[in-house]
Amino acid sequence: MVNRRLTRHPILTPPERPTVPFSWNGQPIEGKEGETIAAALTAAGERVFGHHPKDGAPQGLFCANGQCAQCLVIADGKPVKACVTAIRPGMCVLPSNGLPTLPPATPFELSDHTPTVSTEVLIIGGGPAGLSAAIELDRLGTDVLLVDDKASLGGKLVLQTHRFFGSFNAVHAGTRGMDIAAQLDRQVRSCSRVTVWTNSSALAVFSDKRVGVLRAAGDTPDGEYVLVEPRGLLVATGARERFLTFSGNTLPGVLGAGAFQTLLHRDRVKPAERVLIVGGGNVGLIVAYQAIQAGIEVEAVIEALPQCGGYKVHHDKLARLGIPIYTSTTLVSANGTHQVESATVARVNEHFQVVENTHRRLACDAILLAVGMDPEDGLYKKALEFGLVAGAAGDADHVAEASAAIFAGKIKAHQLAQKLGISNVETPEHWRRTLTVLESKPGAIYPPPPIEAEDLHAVEPVLHCVQEIPCDPCSAACPQGGIRIDPDDIRHVPQFVQSTLEKPCVGCEKCVTICPGQAITLVDDRKDPSHPWVIVPFEMDRVLIREGDWVDVVNVEGLVLGKAEVVRIRSGVALDRTLAVRLRAEHSIARQIAGIRVVDPSVHATPEQWEGRPADSTIVCRCERVSALAIRTLIEKGHRDINEIKVLTRAGLGACGARSCNRLVHRIFAEENVRQNEVGEPRVRPLLLEVPLAVFAGKKEGSP
């Protein structure tokens, strides 16, 4: 049996956990204590979790977050989502092939009343925004109940191994996302007025201004249904990944980028051997880098726009490693019978139309979608509809970087406290300015400063960061303050100002190792001006580089400059898992060196031409397997109400509650030149998540 467990990683330490025996499709299998069915099956190389009852299409993991039902399996006779259901010793897990057979009905007792809990503020979501909001409300003397559906707090922060951008003083910039999550967790746990419910899901906001929560309850597998009566509500539920229409888009192996991170960094499982990443924003570029760190080959990153939308430093890190990045390129199809075996891509013109005869087949066993996020704001909208004093923070308000979400949670908590009369202090204006900076998109790109050729007989940092982005850890790290960034607007590019130093730069390397973009090197001319030392950051597996090696060194754009000798590799607690690699290089290229080439270019052979476009079999509604053609046909017949389309096709009636397909249905209306104001919006009703009816009805604990 395949073993895809992560055994080596430059940042993560694979945990030692006891094995748990269970069975899959009648065969014995082992997982790890505390992990989900999906993680255990993926670790064993299983990708097909069942087949859809409508057409027998293979089903597999997509979101790994409980927001869809692609990973449905039958566990001990019950249909469950494999991505959120933990394995248990002796559990019998079967593929969900067709409609599951329901277990026989058994009588049970109902409780006379549903437990009710009152609180001043209910926060839904324990990610960066929710945690910072809880800390701020505690500071204001407010009782808070924080509810999160995961076992640990931090949201997507716990999946981020890279150092964060933003403000060093305001949002822990320069610290790895998973470590920021741990810091916020500790702070919340120390708050005397904050109560935390983990493994608990908010299901609905009702018209009587109460919130239904499925709370974890001891050994009760389905949990306990509780009604929460808050004076105020703050929704910090994050965002959901967008789905994309292309042929073969529901094949097992088509994953959301967040699902990939969940399996890799939370579960320590490698979801694939060779991936294609769709989307050149920050998420796509970061995930590509994280895949290489884990020893997973990246076939390419493709982006439909003429240039990547993520930070240039993220793009440059990949270019230096040797990862191909194809812009003005779209995904045409995922190819394979039962799972992804390859992908077909093609060039697009300025109108994003596929250019004929530019189709190419790329080898991969997984396709990672990083094509944007939509706010998970359904609970917030319901709260406003029913007149509950409410706010939305972080990605549930609008999608931005996690560093912005941390600060936004603080501000939204302050504003909610004002609405509830808890605080009469206005939100400080400098808070608003800081948030504006943190939420800003990448700005102008400047030409790099000229490379001085003369011997300096000194040591100095070379700053390869030339784009306006909100980031300042390098200036905070320099003990002499030699790296300058405008403190009023940290989007300005950093500058090294030698004249401001009390003494020459001593080469402490702090700026090299703290830079989130790995965009700073040190050049030391003091010992040998003809062959200076160049110190570069390195966060790949230590086995890839050794002292005495001669390595390919590259410039910012990834062009090979020549060879350099590895003189020394420094590590330690102070460097926080970043290696400081000292190279001995030719004087003529020393100040151009930005990194070390890791990926063998021969891995990325020129793709074969792929004549013609594959048959268009795109699915819009994953849950009910409704095609774009079926929806387009109804629109052409004059249907303008999405509720009508839902009734006629079942699009939007599935487990995800139309959260994946609604945007795609709107897109088809736009393609058919139907104006937005002509489209009837779908009705959204509780519940937002599935819950066993017996639990929702008040089944007594201990009842059969």
Side-chain angles (χ1 to χ4, degrees):
M1 184 172 287
V2 176
N3 182 358
R4 281 189 166 166
R5 295 202 177 274
L6 192 64
T7 57
R8 297 186 60 87
H9 196 277
I11 309 299
L12 301 171
T13 302
E16 293 293 334
R17 292 178 293 176
T19 58
V20 176
F22 69 107
S23 68
W24 164 245
N25 204 15
Q27 299 298 314
I29 191 172
E30 287 185 342
K32 294 292 186 179
E33 185 178 79
E35 75 180 357
T36 64
I37 297 172
L41 293 180
T42 303
E46 296 288 345
R47 282 194 166 182
V48 180
F49 293 179
H51 295 82
H52 199 280
K54 183 175 180 180
D55 58 5
Q59 300 278 95
L61 192 66
F62 175 69
C63 75
N65 200 35
Q67 294 177 322
C68 70
Q70 305 306 295
C71 61
L72 193 72
V73 295
I74 309 300
D76 290 339
K78 288 185 177 181
V80 299
K81 295 178 180 180
C83 70
V84 293
T85 304
I87 56 174
R88 298 188 299 273
M91 177 184 276
C92 175
V93 184
L94 298 171
S96 174
N97 292 326
L99 291 174
T101 301
L102 296 178
T106 56
F108 57 84
E109 296 181 64
L110 292 179
S111 174
D112 295 333
H113 69 283
T114 301
T116 303
V117 175
S118 296
T119 184
E120 283 191 273
V121 174
L122 170 64
I123 297 177
I124 303 174
L131 293 176
S132 62
I135 294 166
E136 179 65 15
L137 287 168
D138 177 80
R139 188 186 69 80
L140 294 172
T142 308
D143 291 330
V144 175
L145 173 59
L146 175 68
V147 173
D148 191 79
D149 62 351
K150 300 294 187 298
S152 57
L153 298 177
K156 289 293 191 289
L157 283 177
V158 301
L159 309 179
Q160 308 307 328
T161 57
H162 63 285
R163 300 177 190 273
F164 265 50
F165 295 80
S167 166
F168 179 86
N169 293 319
V171 292
H172 314 286
T175 302
R176 301 186 190 280
M178 59 188 188
D179 296 331
I180 297 174
Q183 289 182 33
L184 294 174
D185 188 339
R186 288 193 296 269
Q187 285 182 266
V188 163
R189 304 285 184 181
S190 67
C191 292
S192 61
R193 291 180 173 273
V194 178
T195 300
V196 176
W197 290 357
T198 52
N199 289 318
S200 302
S201 300
L203 303 173
V205 177
F206 298 107
S207 57
D208 60 2
K209 301 181 183 180
R210 295 193 290 184
V211 181
V213 176
L214 187 61
R215 179 187 180 186
D219 295 330
T220 306
D222 292 327
E224 176 189 26
Y225 182 64
V226 180
L227 286 172
V228 179
E229 294 181 328
R231 285 187 59 215
L233 174 67
L234 187 65
V235 177
T237 44
R240 59 187 177 274
E241 293 181 289
R242 289 177 178 170
F243 188 40
L244 198 63
T245 54
F246 53 90
S247 181
N249 58 350
T250 62
L251 275 174
V254 175
L255 290 169
F260 179 82
Q261 290 180 315
T262 297
L263 288 167
L264 193 61
H265 296 155
R266 185 194 69 183
D267 303 321
R268 310 297 202 266
V269 171
K270 295 169 66 173
E273 297 297 328
R274 191 182 185 97
V275 299
L276 171 67
I277 295 166
V278 184
N282 278 341
V283 172
L285 298 174
I286 288 170
V287 167
Y289 188 81
Q290 292 171 341
I292 296 295
Q293 284 183 310
I296 298 171
E297 294 179 359
V298 176
E299 175 66 15
V301 176
I302 64 170
E303 167 59 53
L305 292 169
Q307 62 184 25
C308 290
Y311 292 170
K312 187 177 186 298
V313 287
H314 284 316
H315 174 281
D316 293 346
K317 283 195 299 183
L318 294 184
R320 292 197 294 268
L321 290 177
I323 304 302
I325 301 174
Y326 302 136
T327 55
S328 296
T329 301
T330 190
L331 177 62
V332 176
S333 70
N335 311 314
T337 305
H338 301 292
Q339 59 185 20
V340 172
E341 298 171 4
S342 67
T344 299
V345 303
R347 298 281 296 174
V348 294
N349 60 23
E350 65 274 17
H351 304 296
F352 301 104
Q353 298 167 329
V354 171
V355 179
E356 291 298 324
N357 299 319
T358 63
H359 297 70
R360 297 185 294 175
R361 178 171 283 192
L362 303 179
C364 61
D365 62 344
I367 297 171
L368 310 185
L369 301 184
V371 290
M373 312 281 283
D374 289 321
E376 191 64 77
D377 56 1
L379 293 169
Y380 174 58
K381 289 178 177 178
K382 279 295 176 186
L384 295 181
E385 180 183 338
F386 296 140
L388 183 60
V389 178
D395 286 351
D397 182 23
H398 60 276
V399 177
E401 295 298 308
S403 56
I406 296 172
F407 211 77
K410 178 179 179 180
I411 291 177
K412 290 303 180 77
H414 205 270
Q415 293 173 343
L416 187 63
Q418 287 179 296
K419 292 179 183 178
L420 295 172
I422 296 168
S423 170
N424 58 5
V425 178
E426 290 291 327
T427 303
E429 183 58 34
H430 70 273
W431 285 13
R432 301 179 193 274
R433 291 197 301 269
T434 298
L435 182 59
T436 297
V437 170
L438 293 174
E439 290 181 336
S440 59
K441 302 296 182 184
I445 297 175
Y446 298 94
I451 302 296
E452 300 294 338
E454 69 271 13
D455 299 337
L456 296 178
H457 301 282
V459 58
E460 66 166 313
V462 179
L463 309 180
H464 304 282
C465 178
V466 295
Q467 184 182 39
E468 293 180 339
I469 58 173
C471 189
D472 70 356
C474 58
S475 65
C478 182
Q480 295 194 76
I483 298 179
R484 296 295 182 87
I485 296 178
D486 185 349
D488 295 324
D489 191 344
I490 61 172
R491 290 171 291 192
H492 292 171
V493 296
Q495 294 181 328
F496 175 63
V497 185
Q498 179 77 49
S499 61
T500 65
L501 302 183
E502 294 181 3
K503 57 183 179 180
C505 173
V506 297
C508 68
E509 302 174 5
K510 290 181 179 179
C511 60
V512 174
T513 55
I514 200 174
C515 174
Q518 297 178 26
I520 300 178
T521 60
L522 276 177
V523 177
D524 189 345
D525 283 341
R526 292 174 297 183
K527 186 175 181 180
D528 183 356
S530 63
H531 291 86
W533 287 337
V534 182
I535 295 90
V536 301
F538 192 79
E539 289 196 347
M540 295 291 125
D541 196 329
R542 179 67 180 263
V543 301
L544 296 176
I545 189 169
R546 295 169 301 178
E547 292 179 0
D549 284 350
W550 285 83
V551 294
D552 289 328
V553 290
V554 295
N555 67 6
V556 171
E557 304 299 332
L559 297 177
V560 176
L561 299 169
K563 295 279 188 181
E565 181 185 7
V566 178
V567 177
R568 180 187 175 194
I569 302 174
R570 194 166 75 89
S571 61
V573 175
L575 303 187
D576 186 21
R577 293 155 285 187
T578 298
L579 301 178
V581 179
R582 179 175 295 180
L583 305 169
R584 182 174 180 269
E586 293 284 346
H587 174 273
S588 59
I589 63 172
R591 285 169 177 77
Q592 299 177 57
I593 294 173
I596 299 170
R597 171 65 57 85
V598 169
V599 176
D600 183 353
S602 65
V603 170
H604 305 282
T606 303
E608 62 180 281
Q609 287 298 118
W610 186 249
E611 298 299 332
R613 180 184 176 117
D616 187 4
S617 56
T618 57
I619 296 294
V620 169
C621 176
R622 294 175 65 96
C623 300
E624 299 293 333
R625 293 198 63 80
V626 181
S627 69
L629 178 62
I631 293 171
R632 198 182 306 277
T633 299
L634 291 178
I635 294 173
E636 290 172 350
K637 290 181 178 179
H639 292 276
R640 295 294 182 266
D641 192 326
I642 293 180
N643 294 291
E644 292 177 357
I645 292 174
K646 181 192 296 186
V647 170
L648 294 170
T649 67
R650 295 188 60 84
L653 281 176
C656 82
R659 287 178 289 185
S660 294
C661 62
N662 187 48
R663 184 181 62 86
L664 299 178
V665 173
H666 276 282
R667 176 178 169 180
I668 296 174
F669 271 109
E671 290 172 353
E672 294 298 313
N673 297 315
V674 177
R675 291 191 296 270
Q676 181 64 38
N677 60 9
E678 298 178 38
V679 179
E681 292 294 331
R683 298 181 185 89
V684 180
R685 301 182 178 91
L687 302 163
L688 267 72
L689 295 175
E690 308 95 318
V691 58
L693 285 176
V695 176
F696 184 60
K699 175 184 174 182
K700 280 188 176 179
E701 187 174 350
S703 179

